[in-house]
Amino acid sequence: MSEPPPARYRTTNWPSYNASLRKRGSLLIWVDKDMTLHAPRDGRPGRPAAFSDAAMQFCLSTKILFKLPLRQTAEMVASLLKLAGLDWSVPDFSTLCRRQKALAAQVPHRRADGPLNLRVDSPVLPDLLGQIPGDEQIATVTADGAYDTRRCHKALIARDAVPIIPIRKNGRLWKDDCPAARARNETLRATRYYGRAFRKRWTGYHARSRIEAKMRCLKAFGERIAASDPDRQTAEIHIRIALMNRFSALGTAEIIRVARQ
């Protein structure tokens, strides 16, 4: 029996999306002329910081975007400011290195109304849930079969979240000793009755591919983290995500599935 033809998709906003892709090549989209360059005085004793957190994030974003060492980053930032017609001072490489350790990077994002629908690819799930405020409602959490564990299911039930996690192919019924085990066993029975493929489509599991695509985008800035200590690594990851969101804010594709003939 021949295989069905592959699905076809069409981008409905190609002119605007094409323009947004062109804008991503502009160097000046990263320069905010309204940015506060110098740090405000906070009243604490000691020498105040010369540059604001926004200025630090701008410089470190340039470093990550162009995969530069810190010394070359300072020169690249100076060139960008000159191109933008701004006579601003630029922090040296040692200042950039020192400030990255304590930098609280600002990540722009758009928040939809309603509870969260999380899609997880690689982090430790219970620890990730612990970072979300307790009063934040979580509707669903979609993850792959690696998260089909008691610890993950208990963490989700504790947050009143619906797990969309496929049962492992060799999965068996758990001992019916807690709400998480009972909910997971019901999922296993439904999977056995309807089949894995149907249940994945019914629960919307395949939407998890979006987070996999975003992880590939994240790795486009480099497979390895350049920073060597956890605090600087955290700042680097946050800046990468901020860069990705800035690209998305310029415009994204609107895609629909084309009916097969």
Side-chain angles (χ1 to χ4, degrees), residues 39-51 92 94-95 98-99:
R41 295 186 177 274
D42 54 11
R44 292 183 298 180
R47 182 180 178 182
F51 297 94
D92 56 39
S94 61
T95 300
R98 174 174 51 82
R99 290 286 299 279

Side-chain angles (χ1 to χ4, degrees), residues 100-138:
Q100 182 178 351
K101 185 176 179 64
L103 180 65
Q106 298 299 310
V107 181
H109 65 282
R110 293 177 296 175
R111 172 66 190 274
D113 295 332
L116 293 176
N117 292 282
L118 302 181
R119 298 182 178 96
V120 182
D121 182 52
S122 59
V124 180
L125 181 55
D127 294 340
L128 176 65
L129 294 177
Q131 299 176 29
I132 301 174
D135 57 353
E136 183 79 48
Q137 185 179 1
I138 303 175

